[in-house]
Every structure is written in C-alpha cells, then in structure tokens.
Amino acid sequence: MKYFIEVWGCAMNEHDAETLGGLIEQKGFTKADNYLDAQLIVLHTCCIRAKAEDKVIGRIGALSKIKKKKPEMIIAVGGCMTQQEEVAKYIEKRFKEVDIIYGTHNLNEFDDMLNIVLADKTQVRSISKSEGMDIKEYVPMKRNDDLKAYVNIIYGCNNYCSYCIVPYVRGREKSREVKYIVEEVKDLLSKGFKEITLLGQNVNSYGHDFKDGTDFSMLLKELDGLGDFRLRFMSSHPRDFDFELIDTINNTKNVCHQIHLPLQSGSDKIIKEMNRGYTKEHYLALTEYIYKVMPDATISTDIIVGFPGETEEDFQDTLDVVENVGYDQAYMFMYSIREGTRAAKMDNQVPEEIKKERFHRLLELQNKKSLERNKEMLGKTYEVLVEGFGEKGRLTARTRGNKVINFVGNISLKGNLVKVKVKDYNTWSLYGELIGD
Ligand code: 5AD
Ligand code: SF4
C-alpha cells in the first residue's frame, strides 16, 4: 500500500510530516509519487492565516469526491488546523469521507489511529487538550532529503503575540534535552548529512524551561564541536536575540551567518500592540551589530501589514526598517484575523483594500532591496553546497548565507562544497560559474 502526505505551512510542519512518514512506513506503506497512486492521503495542515485553512477545506472537498469512486482510500487530516476543537468538529461533521483527524499534540499516535482504521474502517479522532506534545525520542523518521536535515530543539511557544494562533495550537514551550539533540545531530553527520537546521518557534528561548541555566548559545557551542558541517536555526525573536548570541555565532566555525529575524512591524506603537516586547531602535541596533561583526551575514524577516490600528505613519516605520536593513529576503503577509487571539477582538481593523495597497508597496520596496543585495554579490566567489539539479538543467547550490546560485556543472558534484563566482543576477536568482573546489 502507498501513502502521500500534503503539507501546508512552516518548516516545523514539514518536519512533522517526516515523523508521520516514518510512522506510516513502519506499518508497511511506501511513499507514492503522487496522490492518485496512494491508498492513504494525509493532509498535514496549517492555521496561521485564514487563506491556509480555506485551501485545506477545498482540498478535503476534492479528495472526498475522489473517494466516492475509490472507497478504499483513507483520508487523514491533522496538525495545527484540527488542533482547534471547533474546526475538527466541523470537518468531522461535514466530511464523512475523512477517516482520521489528529491534533498537533497527537502526531505520535498516528500509527495507532491508522491501525484502528485499517481494522475497523471507522472514523477516528484524537485531539488532546494537553499543554503541549509529550516529547518522544527515537521516533522513526522518513527524511525528505539526504543532505539537509531539520532537528527540533524546542516545541511550542509562550509568547502570545496578539495576532498569532500558534501558542493555542502548539502548546507551551518544551525544550528537548541537549543529549538527545547532540545524539541526533551526531547520527545525521555520520549518515553523511551536510547541513542541520535547528527548529523552534522561538529558538532563543531554548532551555529556559529547564531552569538550570541552559540556553541557546550553550547548545550552539556544543553542536559546533561535532564536526564540519553547516548549522542553521530558525526562528529567532528580536526581544531575546541579543548581542552575546551574535558574538557566539561569530565565534563558531559551523554556524552560518544567516539570521532570520522577524520584524512584524517597524512601528513602536504596533510592536507594542502585537505584544512583541522590543522597539524599532533595538531591532535596528541588532541588525547593525550583526553586519558590523559579520559583514557577510544575510538577514531575512517576516512582516505583517494591516495589523489593527496600523496608520500610514506606522506603515512608513515598517518601510523605513526595510529600507535601512536591506533584507536579503522577506516573507510578507496581510494581517489575517484568527479567532481566539487578542487582535481578533480589536475594533480598529484595517480595511482589506488598504492592506492590499500597503502590501504591494512593501513588496515593491523589498524586491528593490533583494535586487540590490544580489547585485552586491556580482563578481564575488562563494563556497556553495551543491544540492542537485535546479532550473534549466543547471546545478543548484547554496552559500553559507543560504542564497541560491545556479551554475553549469556535473551532477556528481551533489553533496560537495565547491567555489562559484557570481556572473549574473536578478531579483530572485543568482547565476555563477564553477571555479574549483
Ligand atoms: N496574520 C498574518 N500573518 C501572520 N503571521 C502570524 N500570524 C499571522 C496573522 N494572524 C505571520 C508572522 C509570523 C509568520 C510565521 O506568519 O509574520 O512570523
Ligand atoms: Fe506566533 Fe509570536 Fe510565537 Fe512566533 S513568537 S509563533 S509569531 S506567538
């Protein structure tokens, strides 16, 4: 029997799907190349914005139709969206074709749920209201890549940014013990992985729940000693990302000088309303220091436009930070009301047309900045990790700053570090020439 997993949302979800894949393969399933060949289809969902949820509902509708002609098909829907009790109930009632509904905290029970469906053909639902997932070590995993791997270091989020639903569906912060993280990274390196990305909603609060002085800097130093590889992490929180951590990154040999530092807004008033706990000045001081000690650093961000109460003046503050920092990349979103969050109850919601108009202005500025950042790379040589084939038969590779460079070369270079000189660029891509390894 074959299975197919469709994933929405963040890196954390992509990595959860690797755990699901591991559990499913233990039951004797193999991965299908496309959903039409699969007997088991899993939709691993996201609820961060309304659009993500609407897409999933559409997808369940389409699969339910297919199932009418293919009754042996098993449909599972789970993750952040169904962790919300009312959404799970809605899906259960409206789509009888859905066999398994699981919450974020019930990921590790997926194989038991699958057993029930395979034996009894009944609909099962498991959504626990617990404060978070019980961390389980040594769960089997079906990794999507053989060069780059995600490693969870902290689950959940305690921040309650006023627009965000994550703390309600992913529970409270729970760090993974250092020894298990070290063991997993060692194991990955011994299997030939070349790049590790540490994952958490806010990696900067890693270890704080142990209350024994463990922190993220200590973890980075510990992992840095495990070999020669590329070490990345996401996401950071500007409130907790401090100057000392920047020095730590600079003093390690493996941690890449690539920082994802979500700004969300450049206006002090909006940052406060968002419950983010920093100021525009502090944010700019951090990015200035990053570039000062690591001139080769790349910085990316997340920005929300149209948060309740955002005026043109507030928005100008956001544009000002974007202009000042010169992000390599920005993930930009229009504010989306999420029921249950504090911002959803605010009565000064920004009209959709204004959100759209601001979004386009921001996008235009960021595109200009991305182009400028790429232009700065022209004529320079970078060490890149070759990932495989990219567009138009070229090889695709990444710099330590996570910038993608495409170049002509032999596929046998996959997994190698080689030197490439940048010859051309546009807003989204860089093109280079192999100059040796
Ligand atoms: N509306 C729009 N964007 C949001 N994000 C989180 N919640 C919302 C929301 N309600 C964005 C933030 C976060 C990213 C993962 O998604 O920018 O950093
Ligand atoms: Fe959401 Fe804020 Fe937690 Fe990020 S830090 S997951 S934006 S509540």
Side-chain angles (χ1 to χ4, degrees), residues 48 157 159-161 163-167 201-202 237 264 276:
I48 197 101
C157 183
N159 288 307
Y160 291 96
C161 299
Y163 51 82
C164 187
I165 197 155
V166 168
Q201 304 296 343
N202 174 10
H237 193 306
Q264 311 301 2
R276 296 278 292 171

Side-chain angles (χ1 to χ4, degrees), residues 31-85:
K31 203 168 172 175
D33 293 330
N34 88 55
Y35 75 95
L36 289 169
D37 294 336
Q39 278 79 52
L40 166 63
I41 299 175
V42 186
L43 307 186
H44 195 58
T45 67
C46 168
C47 61
I48 197 101
R49 284 168 290 275
K51 227 194 218 165
E53 293 200 333
D54 294 346
K55 279 192 202 157
V56 172
I57 294 293
R59 192 72 189 120
I60 303 174
L63 290 176
S64 297
K65 267 196 200 136
I66 298 176
K67 186 168 173 170
K68 291 207 172 92
K69 290 191 208 119
K70 236 174 113 177
E72 70 286 0
M73 189 166 121
I74 300 170
I75 304 175
V77 182
C80 290
M81 192 170 155
T82 45
Q83 182 63 37
Q84 306 164 92
E85 185 66 28

Side-chain angles (χ1 to χ4, degrees), residues 98-291:
V98 173
D99 303 278
I100 298 175
I101 302 176
Y102 61 94
T104 351
H105 309 320
N106 311 88
L107 199 70
N108 295 328
E109 298 160 33
F110 191 87
D111 45 347
D112 297 332
M113 299 173 80
L114 187 56
N115 278 343
I116 297 171
V117 173
L118 289 170
D120 302 338
K121 278 269 148 222
T122 57
Q123 198 181 40
V124 286
R125 174 150 88 97
S126 186
I127 292 129
S128 71
K129 287 207 179 75
S130 78
E131 286 273 273
M133 184 160 72
D134 291 328
I135 300 180
K136 231 171 144 181
E137 296 297 343
Y138 308 117
V139 268
M141 212 169 271
K142 170 72 183 165
R143 294 203 177 260
N144 290 327
D145 200 278
D146 48 11
L147 283 179
K148 306 196 290 183
Y150 288 130
V151 171
N152 276 323
I153 62 164
I154 179 167
Y155 300 90
C157 183
N158 289 357
N159 288 307
Y160 291 96
C161 299
S162 62
Y163 51 82
C164 187
I165 197 155
V166 168
Y168 303 92
V169 292
R170 290 239 172 213
R172 298 197 59 79
E173 284 172 1
K174 268 190 200 171
S175 301
R176 225 177 134 195
E177 278 186 56
V178 176
K179 67 173 181 199
Y180 292 122
I181 299 171
V182 168
E183 219 175 286
E184 186 175 352
V185 172
K186 269 188 183 163
D187 178 55
L188 289 164
L189 297 179
S190 75
K191 288 179 174 143
F193 281 86
K194 301 277 194 282
E195 183 176 308
I196 307 288
T197 302
L198 307 176
L199 291 182
Q201 304 296 343
N202 174 10
V203 291
N204 306 130
S205 47
Y206 174 76
H208 294 181
D209 47 325
F210 297 150
K211 299 193 168 61
D212 63 357
T214 305
D215 69 9
F216 185 55
S217 277
M218 282 168 64
L219 179 70
L220 285 183
K221 284 182 206 157
E222 176 101 22
L223 297 177
D224 192 45
L226 298 181
D228 286 319
F229 62 109
R230 288 179 168 191
L231 186 56
R232 305 186 192 278
F233 56 87
M234 62 182 179
S235 283
S236 290
H237 193 306
R239 186 197 57 215
D240 306 324
F241 192 91
D242 55 21
F243 297 87
E244 197 192 319
L245 178 58
I246 299 170
D247 289 335
T248 302
I249 296 167
N250 191 35
N251 292 331
T252 56
K253 61 174 174 161
N254 292 314
V255 181
C256 294
H257 297 176
Q258 174 217 348
I259 315 289
H260 183 68
L261 200 60
L263 168 72
Q264 311 301 2
S265 168
S267 148
D268 286 346
K269 180 191 95 190
I270 299 294
I271 295 171
K272 193 157 189 273
E273 287 292 308
M274 285 177 162
N275 193 30
R276 296 278 292 171
Y278 50 88
T279 59
K280 175 183 175 188
E281 197 187 339
H282 173 72
Y283 187 95
L284 288 174
L286 284 173
T287 53
E288 204 175 299
Y289 191 66
I290 292 171
Y291 286 138

Side-chain angles (χ1 to χ4, degrees), residues 10 47-50 163-166 201 235 260 262 264 276 302-305 331 333-338 341:
C10 62
C47 61
I48 197 101
R49 284 168 290 275
Y163 51 82
C164 187
I165 197 155
V166 168
Q201 304 296 343
S235 283
H260 183 68
Q264 311 301 2
R276 296 278 292 171
D302 292 348
I303 298 173
I304 298 175
V305 298
Y331 300 89
F333 311 103
M334 282 186 274
Y335 168 71
S336 166
I337 295 180
R338 303 285 65 209
T341 62

Side-chain angles (χ1 to χ4, degrees), residues 261-268 271 278-281 283-285 287 291 301 303 314-327 362 365-366 369:
L261 200 60
L263 168 72
Q264 311 301 2
S265 168
S267 148
D268 286 346
I271 295 171
Y278 50 88
T279 59
K280 175 183 175 188
E281 197 187 339
Y283 187 95
L284 288 174
T287 53
Y291 286 138
T301 199
I303 298 173
D314 296 319
F315 178 61
Q316 286 298 331
D317 275 324
T318 300
L319 293 180
D320 190 44
V321 177
V322 173
E323 182 65 54
N324 244 289
V325 176
Y327 296 109
L362 175 64
L365 174 62
Q366 178 49 41
K369 299 310 268 186

